[in-house]
Amino acid sequence: MSDDFGNDILDLSPRRRWAVTAGVMTGMFLAALEATVIATAMPTVIASVGGMNHYSWVFSAYLLAATVTVPIWGKLSDLYGRRPLYQIGIGIFLIGSVLSGVSQTMNQLIVFRAIQGIGAGALVPLGMTIVGDIYTIRERARMQGFFSGVWGVASVIGPLLGGFLTDQLNWRWVFFINLPVGLAAAVIMGIALREPKRTTRPDIDYAGALTLTASVTMLMLALVEAASLDELLRGRNIALLGGSLILGAIFIRIERRASEPIVPLDLFRNRVVSVTVIAAFLAGIAMFGAITYVPLFAQGGRGVSATDAGSMLTPLMLSWVIMSIIGGRLLLRIGFKPMVITGFAILAVSFVIFSTFDAATPRLWLVLDLCLMGSGLSLAMLTMLLAIQQSVPRAQLGITTSLNQFSRSIGGAVGVAVMGAILTASFHTASVRIALASTPAMQTRSIDAEVLINPAAQVGIDTATLGALRTALVDSIRNVFHAGAVASVLGLITCFWLPNLSASAAARAERQPDPDCGEQMLMAEITMIDAPHEPNAVE
């Protein structure tokens, strides 16, 4: 069996395909669970090993390592095959988990979390690449609900599991619980996935890999350290940003000369790839902004508990799962471009609506708007992933799928940093004005948003001042969502440059008795649109 580019598609029996799918979903569940379970246990971890001043780095080290390694995992999987790289990624993740579980100091925990992150960089992008290897576009579109459901389930049970393990056993079991899940995923993949043997010895672009890693690491370090614009403009962070740009330029020069570049620059001549990478970056800004600041809006602005604030994201996740099921079935009927434009349009509207909310807005309206936001994100993310996979040959599927994940993660880091700077600047200006109008004791007191989520920090602040600060925080977060709306609108505009894959061609592909024949018809349009113009070419 061949794909649209004449490459062999992995022809597995139905039983093997379902087993591989189970292995991919188990690995994705491992990554999704780790993203939610650790937050619940962190207060107990701090009490055990200390290091409160390095609290955020337990999360930042993991995120940094996972983001930096994504394109490298993708490229290596194109060269050596998916199965060995996927299993190596799980192995590194489990080693980091065990080491994190036996940590005695906060510095040890941070280092071992970084090791975890290196392995985590393989789990989701390689999992989705494997799915692209063994399923047709029609099957992948219909199966997206399964994969989205993994994240939905993890977002619900992760905090509960983290609390249970911490209270009933020990916080270290938050990391040890990864072992059976990870081993199951590795064993399933080892048994079920069969790939053709590779007879050629690949040429590894070591210089490109090292330069890319250093460049992205410097960028991420500057962003995760910058909680405000003033911090971002400090000498250390400016040096990091400058170093990142210089190394980025060197990386591009290296890639132009490499025989097997880590990131083949000619990929970006493919309009589907270039547009979706930019759009995924902008979607990452919006998505991570919502995940970060919706709970703060609920806890700091509306005065609810931390548990209730965390549950505010549940409507977003559930609507994401439901819409991925619906969107997958609609995608091949209406085409890629209308679907992704619809997703970004819904996302932009949801951010605009949220920016009008205040502390008195009924919870029902918040829930409905978060459902709208999750639906928009689902349609946009689902479509971009399938579009970028469908636009390249199988030999480049790993790096292309990883680029989609990578650009979204970088967008998230940039978005959280920029939105954090907006929040800090807005709230600082308002809190100074409120303090000057309050008591003499308040006029000399330094106030930040923590005062609204930490009861101990509210000592000595009268009710009226506290209410004014809550209003100021809500107004500041509304400015953050204005920024999210701008990113969503830019993403919407970007998607108008996607190749115009007609709804009729997608519908014909859906009706073909042979799914591969339908895929070839769909890909014919992509190839025609991106091909150099000939006298008889048709747009």
Side-chain angles (χ1 to χ4, degrees):
M1 188 186 298
S2 298
D3 65 10
D4 309 299
F5 295 90
N7 299 306
D8 290 335
I9 292 176
L10 294 182
D11 191 10
L12 304 178
S13 68
R15 182 177 295 179
R16 282 190 180 275
R17 286 208 301 173
W18 278 110
V20 171
T21 304
V24 169
M25 292 177 67
T26 305
M28 292 179 66
F29 182 74
L30 186 67
L33 194 63
E34 186 61 25
T36 56
V37 73
I38 182 64
T40 309
M42 276 310 297
T44 306
V45 174
I46 294 295
S48 175
V49 301
M52 179 63 187
N53 54 326
H54 298 305
Y55 176 90
S56 63
W57 271 102
V58 174
F59 303 95
S60 298
Y62 179 90
L63 174 64
L64 190 155
T67 302
V68 166
T69 55
V70 162
I72 297 174
W73 283 116
K75 180 61 178 181
L76 290 178
S77 78
D78 286 337
L79 297 176
Y80 289 101
R82 320 297 182 205
R83 184 178 66 179
L85 269 297
Y86 192 77
Q87 291 179 308
I88 290 171
I90 290 177
I92 294 174
F93 183 89
L94 294 183
I95 290 171
S97 297
V98 172
L99 292 174
S100 296
V102 300
S103 299
Q104 301 301 313
T105 68
M106 181 58 74
N107 288 336
Q108 288 180 4
L109 180 58
I110 291 170
V111 171
F112 299 149
R113 283 279 289 168
I115 294 174
Q116 257 193 314
I118 292 172
L123 296 180
V124 176
L126 293 195
M128 298 313 298
T129 302
I130 291 169
V131 170
D133 278 336
I134 65 175
Y135 287 108
T136 66
I137 179 66
R138 181 168 64 181
E139 292 168 330
R140 273 178 275 152
R142 289 180 170 177
M143 293 179 64
Q144 286 306 306
F146 290 105
F147 303 115
S148 298
V150 169
W151 291 90
V153 171
S155 69
V156 173
I157 73 170
L160 299 176
L161 181 61
F164 175 81
L165 293 174
T166 303
D167 293 338
Q168 302 300 321
L169 297 174
N170 187 287
W171 67 264
R172 300 180 188 278
W173 279 95
V174 169
F175 298 103
F176 295 152
I177 194 66
N178 293 331
L179 287 175
V181 181
L183 289 174
V187 170
I188 292 171
M189 201 62 68
I191 294 173
L193 183 59
R194 291 288 181 265
E195 297 179 293
K197 292 184 179 179
R198 298 169 187 262
T199 56
T200 58
R201 183 181 180 86
D203 184 12
I204 307 299
D205 179 18
Y206 293 105
L210 290 173
T211 309
L212 176 64
T213 300
S215 175
V216 177
T217 299
M218 295 176 100
L219 173 64
M220 294 290 289
L221 283 172
L223 293 176
V224 300
E225 284 284 295
S228 66
L229 183 61
D230 290 339
E231 291 185 9
L232 185 62
L233 296 179
R234 286 180 179 176
R236 177 177 178 273
N237 288 329
I238 290 177
L240 286 171
L241 292 173
S244 177
L245 288 174
I246 292 171
L247 288 173
I250 295 173
F251 171 73
I252 292 173
R253 184 179 180 87
I254 291 172
E255 297 304 274
R256 286 175 174 169
R257 299 180 177 182
S259 58
E260 280 287 354
I262 288 292
V263 180
L265 299 182
D266 60 358
L267 272 178
F268 297 100
R269 296 176 185 172
N270 181 329
R271 204 178 349 149
V272 177
V273 174
S274 57
V275 169
T276 51
V277 164
I278 296 171
F281 173 85
L282 294 166
I285 293 177
M287 181 179 73
F288 283 91
I291 292 173
T292 302
Y293 294 106
V294 165
L296 181 61
F297 174 87
Q299 188 176 3
R302 295 170 64 89
V304 305
S305 68
T307 302
D308 287 340
S311 69
M312 287 293 294
L313 293 175
T314 301
L316 187 152
M317 296 303 302
L318 291 178
S319 62
W320 184 311
V321 174
I322 294 170
M323 190 53 67
S324 68
I325 298 171
I326 299 172
R329 295 184 177 277
L330 287 175
L331 176 61
L332 291 179
R333 296 185 181 276
I334 68 174
F336 292 112
K337 186 173 182 178
M339 182 71 82
V340 74
I341 286 175
T342 301
F344 270 103
I346 293 173
L347 186 61
V349 169
S350 70
F351 269 90
V352 170
I353 292 174
F354 205 101
S355 67
T356 66
F357 290 163
D358 57 31
T361 300
R363 184 182 178 90
L364 176 61
W365 290 110
L366 294 173
V367 169
L368 291 175
D369 189 57
L370 288 171
C371 288
L372 198 65
M373 194 177 294
S375 299
L377 283 168
S378 178
L379 291 178
M381 298 295 190
L382 161 68
T383 308
M384 289 189 291
L385 173 62
L386 294 178
I388 202 170
Q389 286 188 333
Q390 196 66 9
S391 69
V392 297
R394 181 169 173 257
Q396 294 180 320
L397 191 61
I399 181 58
T400 309
T401 303
S402 297
L403 278 176
N404 180 265
Q405 173 82 15
F406 177 72
S407 57
R408 187 171 69 184
S409 297
I410 293 293
V414 171
V416 170
V418 171
M419 291 176 177
I422 293 172
L423 175 68
T424 302
S426 300
F427 186 73
H428 176 73
T429 301
S431 63
V432 168
R433 184 178 65 252
I434 293 168
L436 290 175
S438 186
T439 63
M442 284 293 299
Q443 295 174 12
T444 59
R445 181 170 176 174
S446 177
I447 300 175
D448 57 29
E450 184 184 357
V451 74
L452 297 174
I453 58 177
N454 182 4
Q458 298 173 9
V459 176
I461 303 179
D462 60 273
T463 303
T465 301
L466 202 59
L469 290 173
R470 288 196 187 281
T471 301
L473 179 62
V474 168
D475 290 342
S476 301
I477 294 176
R478 289 166 67 179
N479 291 334
V480 165
F481 278 84
H482 285 139
V486 170
S488 302
V489 170
L490 290 176
L492 174 63
I493 294 170
T494 300
C495 290
F496 279 98
W497 272 268
L498 269 177
N500 190 22
L501 309 181
S502 69
S504 60
R508 288 196 301 273
E510 177 72 7
R511 290 196 298 266
Q512 290 299 321
D514 178 2
D516 294 313
C517 180
E519 286 188 66
Q520 290 168 8
M521 294 174 65
L522 200 56
M523 275 309 307
E525 289 207 8
I526 298 177
T527 305
M528 185 177 294
I529 291 167
D530 279 344
H533 286 277
E534 300 292 343
N536 296 324
V538 179
E539 283 283 359

